[in-house]
Structure formats: C-alpha cells, structure tokens
Amino acid sequence: MHEEQNLSRRAVLGGLGASLAVAAVAPLEGVASPAAATPAALVNPVTKYPKPPFKGQSQPFPGLASQMDPRPDHGETSYKGSGRLAGRKALITGGDSGMGRAAAIAYAREGADVAINYLPAEEADAKEVIALIKKEGRKGIAIPGDLREEAFCQKLVAEAVRQLGGLDIVVNNAGRQQQRQSILDLTTEDFDATMKTNIYAPFWIIKAALPHLAPGSAIIGTTSEQAYDPSPNLYDYAQTKAATMNYVKSLAKQLAPKGIRVNGVAPGPIWTPLQVAGGSTQENLKEFGGKTPMGRPGQPAELASIYVQLAAADASYATGQVYGSAGGGGQP
Ligand code: NAD
Ligand code: MG
C-alpha cells in the first residue's frame, strides 16, 4: 500500500512538467530540506571518465598529478559537502595527490581542518590542495617530509596536533609502489623503502597520534585489491597492502573499547601519479583499468565519499571494515 502510494506519487510527478515537479517537492518556506535540492541527472559510471587506451607516460618517483595526461579528477570542481565533518581535525598522508588529495578536498568541504603530508618533491601538487582547503574557509596545514623516518613521523603528528589544535581523524594513505618483474630485480633497499613507507610509517604515526585521539576519533588506512589478489610484479607492495588490511582489523579490535574506529579503503586501479611513477609497466599503463568490468580505471574523486563515510560520526558501528571501490573487481 505504502509503495503503491509512492509509485502513484512518482507517476503523478513524472507526468507534470519538470519545473512543476520541482515546485511540488520544494520545501516549506523557512524549512531547510537537503532532499529538495536541485535534482541531479543520472550519470552512467561506465562512460563518466576516460577509458584506455592511454598515452604512455612516465615520471620520476613520486610523480605529480599536474603532469599526468589526462589529469586525474580529485573532486576539485565536483565534490559537494554537507557538514558531515564539521569541527573535525584531520591528518592525511599523501594528501597532495591521488586518494589522499580527494579525501583532503572532501574533508575540507565537509567542514574539517586538514593537515597534509607529502614529499618535498611534491610541493607543487600540495600547494594546489592547500589552496583548495583554504578556499573552504578551513585550516590547511602543509607538513612535507619523508615518512620512512620514525623521528619525522613523530614530528609530523606533533606539528599536526599543534597547528590544528588537536586531532581526531588520521588517514594513513601514503604509499610506495615500484613494480619489478622479478624478485631477483628487487633490491634490499627497494624492499626496505616499501616496508618503511607502507607498514612502518602507519605504525609510527598511529603510536604518536593515539594519546591525542579522544573517543569518537577515526583511523583510516588505504589498503588495496592487491591485499587479496596480488600481481606477480608487485611482490613487496602487495604484501604491505595485506598487512594494512590486517592491521586495520587487529587495531579495530584493540581500540573499539576506547571508542576509536579503525577502517580501511581498498581501491582497484585508480588513475594517480603512483602508477605513472614506477608503479606500472608502460604496457599496463596504456591499458590501465581496462580489465575491470567497467573497462576503465577509477578516479580519486570516486573514492572521496568513502573516506568521508568512514570518518563520519554517523558510521559509528563500522570498525575493522574494509570498503572497496574497484569497478567491479577486487575482493575486500
Ligand atoms: P599518489 O602517488 O597520488 O599518492 C601516494 C603518496 O604517497 C604520494 O603523493 C606521496 O606523497 C606519498 N609518499 C610516498 N612515499 C612517501 C614517503 N617516503 N614519505 C612521505 N610520503 C610518501 O598515489 P595514490 O594511488 O593515490 O596512492 C595512495 C594510496 O592508495 C597508496 O597507499 C596506494 O598504495 C593506494 N592504492 C592505490 C591504487 C591505485 O591504483 N592508484 C590502488 C590501490 C591502492
Ligand atoms: Mg603525490
């Protein structure tokens, strides 16, 4: 009966002119109703963004989003906030580009002050992000430095806490991915750099941050579909993503009684500098994302809302979870 009423109401609205239909669901005067916002057109996710073939391109590690062709979409012109993180204070590693940048833009538009970490070579990308955060009237704090050093990770957290005036969201998103066809080509220095960046840094950052995190705070790690279905040329990287998935679940159990939630995001192939700065072979890059059911790579903007959701207070029962976004592939 209820559904029938809805259907007939929809049929009635559908039969009216579009402007009349909008008027029919317009809010009462003085009553704010986000549900009555301008209707958005349906968008086909398959054709929403570029698909392969892509141009071959390579940059020295860590790469810049601004030098990629096509330029990735981090939600610069599209993400709309609705106060979901009002008053929050977030630290995001790798916040200059890729998923970290998409999260930084979204967090600021949701009302959070945001500190980002990145490597000094990424200053140009970081400057764009800081400007976008400040444009929202939020604090945007830039703290460059190398996460492979424990002392720097401690300094990073201390600086973020000092400049933000506290901390309640920590996003461990920075990552190193350098593909090698054979384990025989993987040097101890390579292996160590991947472990330090992807496993040690989150450990050091979480240890430093924990004394500052009150109940209601959230920790988020970026893992990967590689945690579950590792590629042959990502021997070192893939195991760090399995470790990330695992620490999320362990720490979630440890910190749940303290009211601190820990969750992960598992992206599929996403169009970011990581891939063009040694993460993929040129052959893979030209066909990047083409093997997913959607036939294209994801854009960082398409994951922003997941980082928001996992940080937001209304997701209060979600901890130890890994949310995927992989165009139909992946298995979080
Ligand atoms: P990205 O290159 O935009 O971001 C990675 C960031 O890591 C860099 O911007 C850099 O600032 C940071 N970083 C690397 N080494 C560092 C170091 N020693 N010190 C400080 N910062 C360092 O690429 P992205 O794809 O957005 O990567 C973000 C996360 O997403 C990574 O953890 C990555 O493993 C993960 N991920 C990416 C994909 C993908 O297809 N792009 C898929 C699954 C998971
Ligand atoms: Mg970068």
Side-chain angles (χ1 to χ4, degrees):
M1 182 62 192
H2 203 84
E3 179 56 18
E4 268 169 35
Q5 276 172 351
N6 278 346
L7 276 176
S8 56
R9 178 173 154 78
R10 242 179 272 143
V12 168
L13 288 180
L16 296 171
S19 56
L20 210 67
V22 172
V25 294
L28 296 172
E29 213 170 317
V31 180
S33 170
T38 317
L42 264 183
V43 177
N44 183 345
V46 177
T47 52
K48 188 174 176 185
Y49 283 114
K51 62 175 202 293
F54 294 105
K55 274 191 206 159
Q57 54 198 288
S58 84
Q59 296 184 39
F61 175 85
L64 290 174
S66 59
Q67 304 300 308
M68 289 178 71
D69 181 12
R71 272 193 75 148
D73 180 6
H74 309 89
E76 286 88 345
T77 59
S78 57
Y79 191 90
K80 289 190 178 63
S82 56
R84 295 190 71 192
L85 302 176
R88 298 282 68 80
K89 299 168 194 307
L91 168 63
I92 304 174
T93 64
D96 59 300
S97 58
M99 266 70 82
R101 177 178 185 148
I105 293 169
Y107 281 13
R109 293 193 183 157
E110 295 291 354
D113 292 328
V114 185
I116 61 167
N117 162 254
Y118 51 91
L119 286 164
E122 299 170 299
E123 191 62 41
D125 272 0
K127 274 205 171 100
E128 292 182 3
V129 179
I130 294 296
L132 286 163
I133 295 170
K134 288 188 171 163
K135 206 171 152 205
E136 299 304 315
R138 310 309 320 172
K139 272 190 204 168
I141 315 286
I143 314 177
D146 194 326
L147 295 174
R148 292 174 300 171
E149 300 293 329
E150 181 172 13
F152 173 72
C153 289
Q154 291 168 343
K155 207 178 110 196
L156 169 65
V157 171
E159 265 307 293
V161 168
R162 189 179 69 77
Q163 296 199 50
L164 294 171
L167 188 63
D168 38 51
I169 300 170
V170 179
V171 183
N172 285 302
N173 165 77
R176 178 187 193 270
Q177 175 185 323
Q178 294 287 300
Q179 74 82 27
R180 296 284 184 271
Q181 290 303 308
S182 165
I183 191 170
L184 299 176
D185 302 332
L186 188 64
T187 65
T188 297
E189 290 71 29
D190 273 331
F191 187 85
D192 191 57
T194 305
M195 298 299 144
K196 287 270 163 48
T197 311
N198 300 6
I199 299 183
Y200 279 75
F203 166 60
W204 292 326
I205 289 171
I206 292 167
K207 272 179 73 164
L210 205 51
H212 303 281
L213 301 182
S217 297
I219 298 171
I220 297 168
T222 303
T223 169
S224 170
E225 61 177 359
Q226 290 290 327
Y228 311 90
D229 186 13
S231 297
N233 61 337
L234 296 176
Y235 170 84
D236 57 338
Y237 172 83
Q239 59 184 291
T240 68
K241 295 291 139 176
T244 303
M245 177 271 287
N246 199 275
Y247 93 62
V248 159
K249 290 179 180 291
S250 156
L251 202 61
K253 290 174 184 158
Q254 190 183 123
L255 299 182
K258 298 187 193 306
I260 298 168
R261 298 183 299 109
V262 189
N263 291 292
V265 181
I270 312 297
W271 189 246
T272 70
L274 175 122
Q275 299 293 353
V276 303
S280 279
T281 61
Q282 286 302 306
E283 301 76 69
N284 280 350
L285 209 55
K286 286 177 192 155
E287 292 309 314
F288 194 63
K291 290 198 183 99
T292 65
M294 278 202 195
R296 65 163 179 89
Q299 294 291 327
E302 297 182 280
L303 287 84
S305 63
I306 303 176
Y307 287 88
V308 170
Q309 173 68 13
L310 291 174
D314 52 3
S316 40
Y317 201 52
T319 193
Q321 309 300 316
V322 176
Y323 287 17
S325 183
Q331 22 183 314

